[in-house]
């Protein structure tokens, strides 16, 4: 009997490994191997035709930490993520609540909210480039009605990063709204009726019923927003190119610049590994802290 149980257990284990094998093979080929190769490449110096690359240990990482641009870019990205993630989520939730309510022209409202998402990145950036044009742009035309002087929104360090953040929120909020709208439509209306009978107001229903039920969607949106916060590059190409004076430069743009503008691939690889480590720590914190407070139906 024990021999049969062990055989059955081995069959189940083999069956499980067979199911997981395709995913493991793809992950190894497109995720694990590139990450390991990037880490190995980051341990060497930049090679030239006259001076070949040599092993340097963690020297490239030390160079990054000693570079003031690294701290500027890291601070920019923290500000960028710290603003775009919560603001995009709040706007998406509010828009989803409005789009889910019984209002006139509801289909038009939903389409209007979602329109920025379907625009290509480059087209959206060009559109906002027109908005931000000093003196001639829409924003300066509007502020000029109130007597404000023209502002070079993308050309001065004080407003460049904020201008990029506004473009990102405008584009991402509509995309995240779709997930919230789908989640809202799965919540039974009986819950609202039961809350009303129990004397709960609109705010109490939202805080004690609606938001907990939307928590899985919020986690999904949060993870996507966090990933998006470190992979923005196309808007920067059109809007600021990281300037002025690195005021709007973000991590991925700096990695591209090191690898393909300065041909310094070892330092770009080292920066990539640091980004992977940071994202890994955030993912662990998410699963340890946030996931435990989430209730799945």
């Amino acid at each position: 009997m024990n021999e049969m149980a062990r055989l059955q257990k081995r069959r189940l284990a083999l069956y499980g490994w067979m199911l997981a094998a395709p995913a493991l093979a793809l992950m190894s080929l497109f995720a694990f191997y590139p990450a390991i190769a990037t880490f190995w490449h980051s341990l060497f110096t930049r090679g030239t035709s006259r001076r070949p690359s040599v092993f340097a240990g963690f020297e490239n990482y030390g160079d990054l930490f000693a570079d003031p641009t690294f701290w500027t870019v890291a601070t920019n990205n923290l500000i960028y993520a710290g603003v775009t993630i919560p603001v995009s989520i709040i706007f998406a939730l509010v828009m989803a609540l409005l789009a889910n309510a019984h209002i006139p022209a509801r289909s038009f409202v939903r389409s209007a909210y979602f329109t920025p998402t379907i625009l290509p990145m480059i087209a959206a950036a060009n559109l906002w480039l027109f908005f931000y044009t000093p003196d001639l742009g829409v924003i300066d035309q509007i502020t000029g009605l109130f007597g404000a002087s023209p502002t070079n929104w993308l050309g001065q360090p004080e407003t460049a990063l904020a201008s990029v953040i506004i473009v990102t929120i405008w584009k991402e909020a509509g995309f995240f709204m779709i997930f919230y709208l789908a989640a809202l439509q799965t919540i039974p209306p009986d819950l609202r009726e039961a809350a009303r009978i129990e004397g709960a107001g609109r705010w109490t229903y939202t805080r004690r019923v609606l938001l907990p039920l939307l928590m899985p969607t919020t986690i999904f949106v949060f993870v996507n927003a966090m990933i998006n916060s470190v992979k923005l590059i196309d808007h920067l190409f059109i809007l600021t190119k990281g300037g002025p004076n690195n005021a709007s430069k973000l991590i991925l743009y700096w990695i591209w610049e090191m690898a393909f503008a300065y041909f310094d691939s070892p330092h770009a690889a080292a920066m990539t590994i640091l980004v992977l480590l940071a994202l890994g720590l955030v993912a662990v914190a998410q699963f340890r802290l946030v996931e435990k407070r989430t209730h799945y139906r």
Side-chain angles (χ1 to χ4, degrees):
M1 187 64 184
N2 290 336
E3 185 63 28
M4 289 293 294
R6 281 196 294 272
L7 183 61
Q8 183 65 19
K9 190 175 179 180
R10 288 176 184 172
R11 284 179 178 174
L12 288 175
L14 179 62
Y15 184 66
W17 280 109
M18 289 175 65
L19 290 176
L24 286 175
L26 292 175
M27 289 285 290
S28 301
L29 184 62
F30 295 108
F32 300 143
Y33 172 72
I36 294 172
T38 301
F39 173 70
W40 181 249
H41 186 61
S42 71
L43 301 179
F44 289 82
T45 61
R46 179 170 55 171
T48 62
S49 57
R50 295 185 177 181
R51 190 176 59 183
S53 177
V54 297
F55 184 78
F58 291 94
E59 185 179 321
N60 292 328
Y61 294 89
D63 293 341
L64 287 178
F65 290 128
D67 189 347
T69 306
F70 170 82
W71 299 106
T72 302
V73 171
T75 303
N76 288 345
N77 230 113
L78 286 176
I79 295 173
Y80 177 82
V83 176
T84 57
I85 293 174
V87 175
S88 297
I89 290 176
I90 291 171
F91 271 101
L93 179 59
V94 171
M95 289 193 302
L97 290 172
L98 290 174
N100 195 48
H102 296 288
I103 57 175
R106 186 168 62 172
S107 299
F108 174 77
V109 171
R110 292 179 179 179
S111 302
Y113 288 157
F114 191 65
T115 298
T117 303
I118 61 177
L119 287 176
M121 291 285 190
I122 301 299
N126 273 299
L127 183 65
W128 278 89
L129 193 63
F130 167 69
F131 289 166
Y132 286 136
T133 302
D135 202 16
L136 299 176
V138 174
I139 296 177
D140 271 4
Q141 293 287 335
I142 294 174
T143 56
L145 297 176
F146 301 96
S149 57
T151 303
N152 189 358
W153 300 97
L154 300 173
Q156 56 187 18
E158 296 81 10
T159 56
L161 183 60
S163 302
V164 175
I165 287 174
I166 290 173
V167 177
T168 303
I169 293 172
W170 172 78
K171 189 158 178 56
E172 286 194 342
F175 177 64
F176 296 148
M177 179 208 71
I178 294 299
F179 300 104
Y180 276 120
L181 186 59
L184 285 171
Q185 292 177 353
T186 64
I187 296 176
D190 299 347
L191 295 178
R192 178 187 289 273
E193 184 66 21
R196 191 184 64 81
I197 293 173
E198 292 292 332
R202 180 174 296 180
W203 168 244
T204 304
Y205 170 74
T206 302
R207 185 169 59 90
R208 305 297 294 269
V209 179
L210 205 57
L211 293 181
L213 290 176
L214 291 175
M215 186 55 78
T217 304
T218 301
I219 291 178
F220 174 78
V221 169
F222 173 79
V223 171
N224 276 274
M226 186 181 65
I227 294 172
N228 291 342
S229 70
V230 294
K231 71 175 189 180
L232 181 78
I233 189 170
D234 33 19
H235 287 175
L236 295 182
F237 271 109
I238 301 298
L239 294 175
T240 65
K241 290 183 170 52
N245 194 23
N246 298 327
S248 62
K249 188 174 288 182
L250 301 179
I251 286 177
L252 191 59
Y253 186 87
W254 194 40
I255 291 175
W256 172 87
E257 205 173 53
M258 283 192 290
F260 300 105
Y262 305 142
F263 301 104
D264 189 1
S265 57
H267 283 93
M271 191 65 202
T272 303
I273 293 299
L274 292 178
V275 172
L276 290 177
L277 287 176
L279 290 178
L281 291 175
V282 173
V284 170
Q286 177 215 333
F287 284 114
R288 291 289 180 89
L289 301 177
V290 182
E291 191 80 4
K292 291 180 180 178
R293 298 176 182 270
T294 306
H295 305 285
Y296 294 94
R297 286 175 292 166

Short mmCIF file of all heavy atoms in Angstrom, two decimals, residues 199-222:
data_model
loop_
_atom_site.label_atom_id
_atom_site.label_comp_id
_atom_site.label_asym_id
_atom_site.label_seq_id
_atom_site.Cartn_x
_atom_site.Cartn_y
_atom_site.Cartn_z
N GLY A 199 -28.83 51.26 7.38
CA GLY A 199 -28.60 52.65 7.78
C GLY A 199 -27.24 53.20 7.42
O GLY A 199 -26.88 54.29 7.88
N ALA A 200 -26.50 52.48 6.60
CA ALA A 200 -25.17 52.96 6.21
C ALA A 200 -25.30 54.04 5.14
O ALA A 200 -26.07 53.89 4.18
CB ALA A 200 -24.32 51.80 5.68
N GLY A 201 -24.56 55.11 5.29
CA GLY A 201 -24.55 56.17 4.30
C GLY A 201 -23.68 55.82 3.11
O GLY A 201 -23.07 54.74 3.05
N ARG A 202 -23.62 56.76 2.15
CA ARG A 202 -22.84 56.49 0.93
C ARG A 202 -21.35 56.33 1.26
O ARG A 202 -20.68 55.45 0.73
CB ARG A 202 -23.05 57.64 -0.06
CG ARG A 202 -22.30 57.45 -1.36
CD ARG A 202 -22.64 58.53 -2.35
NE ARG A 202 -24.04 58.46 -2.74
CZ ARG A 202 -24.60 59.30 -3.61
NH1 ARG A 202 -23.87 60.27 -4.14
NH2 ARG A 202 -25.87 59.18 -3.93
N TRP A 203 -20.84 57.19 2.14
CA TRP A 203 -19.42 57.12 2.47
C TRP A 203 -19.09 55.83 3.22
O TRP A 203 -18.09 55.18 2.96
CB TRP A 203 -19.01 58.34 3.29
CG TRP A 203 -17.66 58.23 3.90
CD1 TRP A 203 -17.36 58.19 5.22
CD2 TRP A 203 -16.41 58.08 3.21
NE1 TRP A 203 -16.01 58.04 5.41
CE2 TRP A 203 -15.40 57.98 4.19
CE3 TRP A 203 -16.06 58.03 1.86
CZ2 TRP A 203 -14.07 57.84 3.85
CZ3 TRP A 203 -14.72 57.88 1.52
CH2 TRP A 203 -13.74 57.79 2.51
N THR A 204 -19.99 55.43 4.16
CA THR A 204 -19.76 54.18 4.90
C THR A 204 -19.80 52.98 3.96
O THR A 204 -18.97 52.06 4.07
CB THR A 204 -20.82 54.03 6.00
OG1 THR A 204 -20.79 55.17 6.84
CG2 THR A 204 -20.57 52.77 6.81
N TYR A 205 -20.76 52.98 3.02
CA TYR A 205 -20.82 51.88 2.05
C TYR A 205 -19.55 51.83 1.20
O TYR A 205 -19.00 50.74 0.96
CB TYR A 205 -22.05 52.07 1.16
CG TYR A 205 -22.09 51.15 -0.02
CD1 TYR A 205 -22.41 49.81 0.13
CD2 TYR A 205 -21.79 51.62 -1.30
CE1 TYR A 205 -22.44 48.95 -0.96
CE2 TYR A 205 -21.81 50.79 -2.40
CZ TYR A 205 -22.14 49.45 -2.23
OH TYR A 205 -22.14 48.61 -3.31
N THR A 206 -19.07 52.99 0.79
CA THR A 206 -17.86 53.01 -0.04
C THR A 206 -16.66 52.51 0.76
O THR A 206 -15.85 51.71 0.26
CB THR A 206 -17.60 54.44 -0.55
OG1 THR A 206 -18.73 54.88 -1.29
CG2 THR A 206 -16.36 54.49 -1.43
N ARG A 207 -16.53 52.99 1.99
CA ARG A 207 -15.34 52.67 2.79
C ARG A 207 -15.36 51.24 3.32
O ARG A 207 -14.32 50.58 3.35
CB ARG A 207 -15.24 53.66 3.95
CG ARG A 207 -13.99 53.53 4.81
CD ARG A 207 -13.86 54.71 5.74
NE ARG A 207 -15.00 54.82 6.62
CZ ARG A 207 -15.08 54.22 7.81
NH1 ARG A 207 -14.09 53.47 8.25
NH2 ARG A 207 -16.15 54.35 8.57
N ARG A 208 -16.52 50.74 3.75
CA ARG A 208 -16.59 49.43 4.40
C ARG A 208 -16.96 48.29 3.46
O ARG A 208 -16.75 47.13 3.80
CB ARG A 208 -17.60 49.48 5.56
CG ARG A 208 -17.34 50.58 6.58
CD ARG A 208 -16.01 50.35 7.27
NE ARG A 208 -16.02 49.15 8.08
CZ ARG A 208 -16.36 49.12 9.36
NH1 ARG A 208 -16.70 50.25 9.95
NH2 ARG A 208 -16.33 47.99 10.04
N VAL A 209 -17.54 48.60 2.31
CA VAL A 209 -17.98 47.53 1.39
C VAL A 209 -17.26 47.62 0.05
O VAL A 209 -16.61 46.65 -0.41
CB VAL A 209 -19.51 47.58 1.18
CG1 VAL A 209 -19.95 46.48 0.20
CG2 VAL A 209 -20.24 47.45 2.50
N LEU A 210 -17.37 48.79 -0.57
CA LEU A 210 -16.88 48.92 -1.95
C LEU A 210 -15.36 48.81 -2.04
O LEU A 210 -14.83 48.01 -2.84
CB LEU A 210 -17.35 50.27 -2.51
CG LEU A 210 -17.48 50.36 -4.04
CD1 LEU A 210 -18.42 49.29 -4.55
CD2 LEU A 210 -17.95 51.74 -4.43
N LEU A 211 -14.65 49.59 -1.25
CA LEU A 211 -13.18 49.59 -1.34
C LEU A 211 -12.57 48.23 -0.98
O LEU A 211 -11.65 47.77 -1.68
CB LEU A 211 -12.60 50.71 -0.48
CG LEU A 211 -12.91 52.14 -0.95
CD1 LEU A 211 -12.26 53.16 -0.04
CD2 LEU A 211 -12.45 52.34 -2.39
N PRO A 212 -13.03 47.53 0.07
CA PRO A 212 -12.47 46.19 0.32
C PRO A 212 -12.71 45.21 -0.82
O PRO A 212 -11.84 44.41 -1.15
CB PRO A 212 -13.20 45.74 1.60
CG PRO A 212 -13.57 47.01 2.29
CD PRO A 212 -13.88 47.97 1.20
N LEU A 213 -13.91 45.30 -1.45
CA LEU A 213 -14.18 44.40 -2.57
C LEU A 213 -13.34 44.75 -3.80
O LEU A 213 -13.09 43.89 -4.64
CB LEU A 213 -15.67 44.45 -2.93
CG LEU A 213 -16.62 43.82 -1.90
CD1 LEU A 213 -18.06 44.01 -2.32
CD2 LEU A 213 -16.31 42.34 -1.71
N LEU A 214 -12.92 46.01 -3.88
CA LEU A 214 -12.09 46.43 -5.02
C LEU A 214 -10.60 46.26 -4.75
O LEU A 214 -9.78 46.58 -5.61
CB LEU A 214 -12.37 47.90 -5.35
CG LEU A 214 -13.74 48.22 -5.95
CD1 LEU A 214 -13.89 49.72 -6.12
CD2 LEU A 214 -13.93 47.51 -7.29
N MET A 215 -10.23 45.75 -3.57
CA MET A 215 -8.82 45.67 -3.22
C MET A 215 -8.00 44.78 -4.18
O MET A 215 -6.88 45.15 -4.56
CB MET A 215 -8.66 45.16 -1.79
CG MET A 215 -7.22 45.18 -1.28
SD MET A 215 -6.45 46.81 -1.42
CE MET A 215 -7.20 47.61 -0.01
N PRO A 216 -8.50 43.61 -4.63
CA PRO A 216 -7.72 42.85 -5.63
C PRO A 216 -7.45 43.64 -6.90
O PRO A 216 -6.34 43.58 -7.45
CB PRO A 216 -8.60 41.62 -5.91
CG PRO A 216 -9.43 41.47 -4.68
CD PRO A 216 -9.71 42.87 -4.19
N THR A 217 -8.45 44.39 -7.36
CA THR A 217 -8.23 45.23 -8.54
C THR A 217 -7.22 46.33 -8.25
O THR A 217 -6.37 46.66 -9.09
CB THR A 217 -9.57 45.85 -8.98
OG1 THR A 217 -10.51 44.81 -9.20
CG2 THR A 217 -9.41 46.65 -10.25
N THR A 218 -7.30 46.90 -7.04
CA THR A 218 -6.35 47.95 -6.69
C THR A 218 -4.91 47.42 -6.68
O THR A 218 -3.99 48.10 -7.14
CB THR A 218 -6.71 48.52 -5.31
OG1 THR A 218 -8.05 49.04 -5.35
CG2 THR A 218 -5.76 49.64 -4.92
N ILE A 219 -4.73 46.21 -6.17
CA ILE A 219 -3.38 45.63 -6.17
C ILE A 219 -2.89 45.42 -7.60
O ILE A 219 -1.74 45.72 -7.93
CB ILE A 219 -3.38 44.31 -5.38
CG1 ILE A 219 -3.59 44.61 -3.90
CG2 ILE A 219 -2.08 43.56 -5.59
CD1 ILE A 219 -3.66 43.38 -3.05
N PHE A 220 -3.77 44.90 -8.44
CA PHE A 220 -3.39 44.69 -9.84
C PHE A 220 -3.01 46.01 -10.51
O PHE A 220 -1.98 46.12 -11.20
CB PHE A 220 -4.56 44.03 -10.58
CG PHE A 220 -4.35 43.89 -12.06
CD1 PHE A 220 -3.54 42.89 -12.56
CD2 PHE A 220 -4.94 44.79 -12.94
CE1 PHE A 220 -3.33 42.78 -13.92
CE2 PHE A 220 -4.75 44.68 -14.29
CZ PHE A 220 -3.94 43.66 -14.79
N VAL A 221 -3.83 47.03 -10.28
CA VAL A 221 -3.55 48.35 -10.87
C VAL A 221 -2.26 48.93 -10.28
O VAL A 221 -1.44 49.52 -11.01
CB VAL A 221 -4.74 49.29 -10.62
CG1 VAL A 221 -4.38 50.72 -10.97
CG2 VAL A 221 -5.94 48.84 -11.44
N PHE A 222 -2.06 48.74 -8.98
CA PHE A 222 -0.86 49.27 -8.34
C PHE A 222 0.41 48.64 -8.93
O PHE A 222 1.40 49.35 -9.21
CB PHE A 222 -0.92 49.00 -6.83
CG PHE A 222 0.34 49.34 -6.10
CD1 PHE A 222 0.63 50.65 -5.78
CD2 PHE A 222 1.24 48.35 -5.73
CE1 PHE A 222 1.80 50.97 -5.10
CE2 PHE A 222 2.40 48.66 -5.06
CZ PHE A 222 2.69 49.98 -4.74
#
